[in-house]
Amino acid sequence: KTIQHFTHFHPLTKVSANTEFLCDGCRTLGFGTRYRCKPCDFDLHDHCANSPLEISSFMHQYGLFYRCKLCEFYVHTFCTQLLEYVRHVMHTDHPLRLQ
């Protein structure tokens, strides 16, 4: 499978390798399957390669992808997956708000 991602000029090919890599999208380590541009040594996690251009998050009122161009608010791609409220076994009375 090949995709054209907005963060890279060349097409990226989905590859499976039993090796570690540094994702050029979120800058965290990955292992195994990734989208790769071999000539540029450019890799993206599957999640980073298939994330939408704009997301909604309780952390910010405007749509964003990594960075809000209106106010320069930055958010890591993994942080956009956080839940606004969580329940914890040691605090069962009501949900905890993460914000």
Side-chain angles (χ1 to χ4, degrees):
K1 181 180 177 184
T2 301
I3 63 168
Q4 184 63 56
H5 198 265
F6 69 94
T7 61
H8 193 69
F9 182 74
H10 302 115
L12 305 176
T13 303
K14 190 170 189 172
V15 296
S16 291
N18 289 327
T19 57
E20 193 173 69
F21 66 95
L22 180 66
C23 177
D24 290 291
C26 68
R27 309 300 300 162
T28 62
L29 292 176
F31 185 86
T33 303
R34 79 227 34 196
Y35 282 86
R36 177 162 181 72
C37 176
K38 189 174 181 179
C40 298
D41 192 27
F42 183 89
D43 297 291
L44 290 178
H45 291 111
D46 183 68
H47 171 76
C48 294
N50 292 299
S51 292
L53 283 173
E54 187 174 293
I55 53 103
S56 295
S57 173
F58 68 91
M59 292 180 266
H60 193 64
Q61 68 183 20
Y62 303 108
L64 54 105
F65 186 80
Y66 299 118
R67 177 178 68 91
C68 175
K69 292 178 182 176
L70 296 174
C71 68
E72 298 300 315
F73 175 80
Y74 286 85
V75 64
H76 192 276
T77 186
F78 291 159
C79 294
T80 64
Q81 299 174 52
L82 292 172
L83 300 173
E84 185 173 3
Y85 295 96
V86 296
R87 290 198 179 271
H88 193 275
V89 68
M90 297 181 72
H91 187 81
T92 58
D93 294 339
H94 54 270
L96 301 169
R97 186 178 173 125
L98 295 179
Q99 190 174 15

